[in-house]
Amino acid sequence: MPYLKKAIEAGYATITGAEGKQKITYVSSDNFSANYENPEEKVRASFWAELIYKYEYPANRIKVEVVIPDRLPTDRADIVVFNDDECKRPYAVVECKKEGVTDAEFNQAIEQGVGNATWVKLRAEYVVIIAGGTRRVLDVSDKFGALEREQN
């Protein structure tokens, strides 16, 4: 959790509440708040901070719970990294799952992430699927095609 601790110290996020009832607020993502006790949220928070500190993406270009343009406005991407400061051009869509999901659940997360990232919806170049230490990155640009999963 060293990256998340740095993000909190820098004011990009806050964790409040008593043990067992903690809430995280992503200050740099329009003050979005979520239940930090949720195992999936801990994965998201950790990777969100990793994007800032390990991969050096500007915090203002990383948004959480981004509404997917679709018929149902309830669909959301866990994390979207944008190419621009206005957050209009998605670069990567991240789908987070809790640590220890089954292979079938992980494969379903891949399809969910790819569905959100492709040209019909967010038009991102990459999709990242993360379930704790299990990670997969796919190029969903025109290089491989929307249905390719293995060579990618």
Side-chain angles (χ1 to χ4, degrees):
M1 184 154 103
Y3 293 126
L4 183 56
K5 184 177 179 183
K6 286 174 75 170
I8 291 168
E9 289 172 356
Y12 295 131
T14 61
I15 295 179
T16 57
E19 190 71 33
K21 294 185 179 186
Q22 291 184 316
K23 179 173 82 169
I24 186 167
T25 300
Y26 299 90
V27 176
S28 64
S29 186
D30 305 322
N31 289 313
F32 177 80
S33 294
N35 176 5
Y36 188 65
E37 300 300 327
N38 180 333
E40 190 172 297
E41 193 61 44
K42 290 184 183 215
V43 169
R44 174 167 56 185
S46 178
F47 190 66
W48 167 83
E50 188 176 325
L51 287 167
I52 296 168
Y53 289 101
K54 182 176 182 179
Y55 300 107
E56 299 180 351
Y57 290 107
N60 65 306
R61 291 185 180 188
I62 304 169
K63 300 296 180 191
V64 297
E65 288 297 306
V66 175
V67 174
I68 303 296
D70 204 351
R71 292 177 297 144
L72 299 175
T74 57
D75 288 345
R76 296 175 181 266
D78 290 332
I79 300 173
V80 177
V81 179
F82 291 89
N83 275 315
D84 59 316
D85 288 337
E86 294 78 30
C87 297
K88 301 291 184 193
R89 294 179 24 241
Y91 175 70
V93 173
V94 181
E95 180 62 33
C96 301
K97 298 296 177 193
K98 66 182 180 179
E99 177 79 56
V101 297
T102 66
D103 288 346
E105 290 170 318
F106 192 79
N107 287 333
Q108 174 57 36
I110 290 171
E111 297 310 316
Q112 181 180 355
V114 169
N116 288 340
T118 55
W119 71 271
V120 176
K121 296 188 180 181
L122 288 175
R123 301 179 190 166
E125 296 174 47
Y126 297 93
V127 63
V128 179
I129 310 304
I130 180 166
T134 304
R135 298 173 178 199
R136 187 159 179 197
V137 179
L138 296 172
D139 181 333
V140 290
S141 68
D142 291 338
K143 182 177 180 181
F144 288 101
L147 299 179
E148 206 296 307
R149 302 288 184 271
E150 297 307 315
Q151 293 175 4
N152 204 330

